[in-house]
């Protein structure tokens, strides 16, 4: 298996842009409510921490204490995720791997938020205010699992969970006992993807709506990436033998193995493409990280 932490060069990336009007409103909401919180919790996809980190949000947040949550850690390569935690530590940020669906890492997350908020809450008490819960704002791009995380932390279903990009629209305050008050904000994508490889990673993982790009081109690029980096994941899932074919021939082989056929034995490409995207996004192809971890500068 090729080292998933190596830099990769992907060419012919489709031009992907997506910035619905409601996301401009969400950006304004973040700016308006930033003063109300002690800590900003930035929720990233553990498979693509760099690609799912919104540079617009970082500019808005400024010097506000920030905590990184690497959600969907169950879908990412464990070794690579540990390397990302070390990378953020070297940058002066705490990062907590979390599986919001199963709840793994949520206790550590609550403790980390409390630590980040303590300087602010202690200062308030020193100035005569009553002790209060830590207040944090949860930010992230669409479809990184904000609603699932909040539901897990709250022990209920207080926010509507949808597996479609951009469905959490309005801000919501959720109180978690005496420890935390969480402000959930709508997901925000940035207005222009300067890094088309990052845009492609967002398309692979479902952060960008499938209706706004050429799915066929993206699937072929995903297959090319998996063929180069984790060929065994394709061989195991689709009962294929190495060496794997390339490009459309690989898509054909998978389509036949999965019975994605039309009348006359022709490949149903749309169905085959959706099978591959679903398998990758759900982890049925294995735990795969896409973003390379930047080198940590020596001290």
């Amino acid at each position: 298996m090729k080292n998933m932490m190596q830099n990769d060069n992907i060419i012919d990336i489709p031009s992907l842009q997506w910035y619905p009007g409601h996301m401009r409103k969400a950006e304004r909401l973040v700016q308006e409510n930033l003063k109300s919180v002690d800590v900003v919790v930035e929720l990233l996809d553990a498979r693509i921490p760099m690609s799912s980190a919104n540079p617009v949000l970082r500019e808005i947040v400024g010097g506000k204490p920030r905590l990184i949550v690497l959600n969907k850690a169950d879908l990412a390569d464990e070794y690579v995720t540990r390397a990302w935690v070390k990378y953020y530590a070297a940058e002066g940020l705490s990062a907590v791997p979390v599986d919001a669906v199963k709840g793994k890492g949520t206790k550590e997350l609550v403790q980390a938020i409390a630590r980040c908020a303590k300087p602010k809450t202690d200062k308030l008490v020193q100035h005569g205010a009553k002790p209060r819960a830590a207040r944090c704002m949860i930010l992230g791009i669409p479809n990184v699992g904000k609603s699932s995380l909040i539901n897990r932390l709250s022990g209920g279903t207080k926010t509507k969970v949808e597996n479609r990009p951009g469905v959490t629209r309005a801000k919501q305050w959720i109180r978690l006992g005496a420890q935390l008050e969480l402000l959930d904000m709508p997901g925000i994508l940035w207005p222009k993807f300067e890094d088309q490889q990052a845009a492609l990673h967002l398309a692979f993982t479902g952060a960008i709506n499938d209706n706004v790009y050429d799915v066929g081109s993206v699937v072929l690029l995903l297959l090319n990436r998996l063929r180069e980096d984790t060929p065994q994941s394709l061989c195991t899932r689709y009962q294929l033998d190495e060496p794997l074919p390339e490009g459309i021939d690989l898509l054909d082989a998978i389509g036949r193995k999965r019975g994605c056929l039309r009348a006359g034995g022709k490949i149903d490409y749309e169905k085959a493409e959706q099978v591959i995207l679903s398998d990758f996004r759900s982890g049925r192809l294995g735990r795969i990280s896409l973003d390379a971890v930047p080198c940590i500068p020596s001290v």
Side-chain angles (χ1 to χ4, degrees):
M1 179 185 298
K2 185 179 179 181
N3 188 347
M4 292 300 296
M5 294 175 63
Q6 291 180 348
N7 288 327
D8 57 327
N9 296 310
I10 299 179
I11 60 175
D12 298 327
I13 298 174
S15 179
L16 302 175
Q17 302 296 337
W18 187 47
Y19 199 64
H22 75 269
M23 291 189 177
R24 297 185 186 277
K25 180 180 179 181
E27 184 178 329
R28 291 195 296 270
L29 279 174
V30 171
Q31 294 173 317
E32 293 168 2
N33 290 277
L34 195 59
K35 293 181 179 180
S36 302
V37 301
D38 309 317
V39 179
V40 171
V41 177
E42 185 174 6
L43 194 59
L44 306 178
D45 187 321
R47 298 167 295 179
I48 53 169
M50 192 67 73
S51 298
S52 59
N54 189 334
V56 173
L57 293 184
R58 290 200 296 270
E59 293 173 5
I60 295 172
V61 169
K64 182 74 67 172
R66 185 161 59 102
L67 176 69
I68 302 295
V69 177
L70 299 171
N71 194 30
K72 304 187 181 182
D74 56 308
L75 301 178
D77 183 291
E78 291 180 274
Y79 173 73
V80 178
T81 298
R82 287 196 295 270
W84 274 108
V85 171
K86 292 180 180 179
Y87 167 78
Y88 286 116
E91 295 288 309
L93 293 170
S94 295
V96 183
V98 167
D99 173 1
V101 175
K102 295 182 179 178
K104 186 176 181 180
T106 52
K107 289 183 179 179
E108 293 82 356
L109 172 58
V110 171
Q111 294 168 356
I113 294 173
R115 286 195 300 270
C116 286
K118 195 174 189 304
K120 174 67 177 294
T121 54
D122 284 353
K123 186 176 181 180
L124 291 173
V125 172
Q126 291 171 4
H127 285 78
K130 293 182 179 181
R132 64 161 173 78
R135 295 173 179 170
C136 65
M137 176 185 290
I138 295 185
L139 301 177
I141 66 171
N143 214 33
V144 289
K146 293 188 303 298
S147 295
S148 296
L149 176 61
I150 293 174
N151 290 340
R152 172 62 64 174
L153 291 173
S154 66
T157 55
K158 297 182 179 180
T159 59
K160 186 177 181 181
V161 179
E162 295 277 357
N163 192 28
R164 290 177 291 131
V167 299
T168 304
R169 300 295 176 87
K171 67 174 184 176
Q172 302 179 67
W173 275 103
I174 298 175
R175 185 174 179 82
L176 305 179
Q179 295 186 27
L180 285 178
E181 290 180 355
L182 303 179
L183 178 60
D184 179 33
M185 303 294 291
I188 308 174
L189 282 174
W190 46 104
K192 183 179 181 181
F193 296 116
E194 299 291 347
D195 184 345
Q196 283 294 299
Q197 181 170 280
L200 185 59
H201 288 177
L202 294 172
F204 287 165
T205 57
I208 299 176
N209 195 302
D210 291 342
N211 295 326
V212 301
Y213 61 82
D214 180 6
V215 173
S217 296
V218 166
V219 169
L220 288 176
L221 287 167
L222 174 59
L223 286 177
N224 179 64
R225 176 68 182 270
L226 297 176
R227 180 183 180 276
E228 292 294 320
D229 290 354
T230 60
Q232 193 56 45
S233 67
L234 296 174
C235 293
T236 300
R237 177 63 181 170
Y238 303 119
Q239 299 180 337
L240 300 172
D241 297 321
E242 293 194 68
L244 292 170
E246 298 183 34
I248 194 68
D249 292 333
L250 179 54
L251 180 59
D252 285 350
I254 293 172
R256 293 190 184 283
K257 285 288 187 179
R258 294 306 305 269
C260 303
L261 302 174
R262 297 183 182 276
K266 295 182 179 180
I267 302 294
D268 185 335
Y269 287 109
E270 184 175 348
K271 183 176 180 180
E273 290 160 3
Q274 290 305 315
V275 165
I276 292 165
L277 285 177
S278 177
D279 284 348
F280 173 75
R281 292 170 180 174
S282 66
R284 287 190 288 269
L285 289 174
R287 301 179 63 157
I288 299 173
S289 295
L290 298 176
D291 277 350
V293 183
C295 293
I296 300 175
S298 58
V299 180

